[in-house]
Amino acid sequence: MNSTIDILKNHRSIRKFVDRPLEEGMLNEMIFAGQSASTSSFIQSCSVIRVTEPSARNKFVALSGGQKYIESAAEFLVFCADLERNRTRVLTKDVEADFSWAEQGLAATVDVALFAQNVVTAAESMGLGCCYIGGIRNDPDAVVEILNLPALVYPVFGLCIGYPDQDPDIKPRLPTSVVLHQGQYGVNKGSSLEIDTYDAQIKSYYHERTGGKLDIDWSGQMAKQAESQSRPFMLEFLRKQGFFQK
Ligand SMILES: Cc1cc2nc3c(=O)[nH]c(=O)nc-3n(C[C@H](O)[C@H](O)[C@H](O)COP(=O)(O)O)c2cc1C
């Protein structure tokens, strides 16, 4: 339809990178594209930490469960929800500030995601590839320590960026009819039969991608996730950082 939509629809995560730095100015351009995203009530609550030190990258590989592309990507960024900057500025206005509401934590997190996705789209428009790293939340306390994060700042995810050294297939998404509801939940949306068809499609996608090693469909993958504990320490961690108190 147009080149922006083409870039969005051609997205696939890149997990193998050429050993080549980004050109001068590219990173700033991407970050500014991120800053240009909408931001809830203008809070601008995203902080990005660029991790360059090989020893720090190494620590991130380890705490993310051995994801080696964190080391080989030209850039590795950690996106943080940051209400500390706002707290400090509010202090200059002699106001008693409170940043502990769940709504504020949610808004800050949404801001980070919108910012980061703009960065990804900007990167992909320049021929770069990206991979989000939610794996850094395996050990959020370690991330706080490595990056010296104060209270009211928490790491949402990492992002690898670099020139791709692979050309993976696009991963099929659920049929649009299944995710688009009309007027009310469940009205005129696709049937579970369509998800059955999608399951078959994902099964063959994984077969192809892994040379037959991975034999699972989308529903199976979701079932596997749902029966395992999902980072059970997260609420306690977020509260320790000052988020989601009430
Ligand atoms: C917040 C977030 C965290 C993610 N964390 C990881 C990760 O730790 N490691 C990884 O290899 N991929 C990670 N991904 C990538 C997803 O696995 C990927 O986007 C999804 O399977 C769809 O594939 P595609 O991006 O190639 O279309 C993450 C994606 C998001 C949005």
Side-chain angles (χ1 to χ4, degrees), residues 11-13 15 67 69 131-135 137 157 171 173:
H11 161 79
R12 61 266 198 287
S13 293
R15 298 181 176 86
Q67 302 195 55
Y69 26 97
C131 187
Y132 283 102
I133 306 290
R137 294 197 308 274
F157 42 68
K171 197 171 186 179
R173 297 302 201 252

Side-chain angles (χ1 to χ4, degrees), residues 175-239:
T176 304
S177 58
V178 165
V179 301
L180 180 62
H181 307 226
Q182 302 286 347
Q184 284 197 317
Y185 189 89
V187 177
N188 269 354
K189 73 166 184 62
S191 66
S192 66
L193 258 179
E194 287 180 73
I195 304 186
D196 290 344
T197 308
Y198 177 69
D199 267 340
Q201 192 186 5
I202 284 296
K203 200 170 183 159
S204 64
Y205 165 87
Y206 278 134
H207 256 262
E208 189 117 326
R209 186 173 125 182
T210 64
K213 277 191 216 130
L214 189 55
D215 182 38
I216 198 162
D217 59 19
W218 180 75
S219 298
Q221 207 181 346
M222 296 306 108
K224 221 167 138 186
Q225 285 173 25
E227 71 178 358
S228 56
Q229 290 201 332
S230 183
R231 297 183 181 129
F233 45 80
M234 196 49 69
L235 185 59
E236 194 186 328
F237 165 75
L238 289 168
R239 288 192 163 154

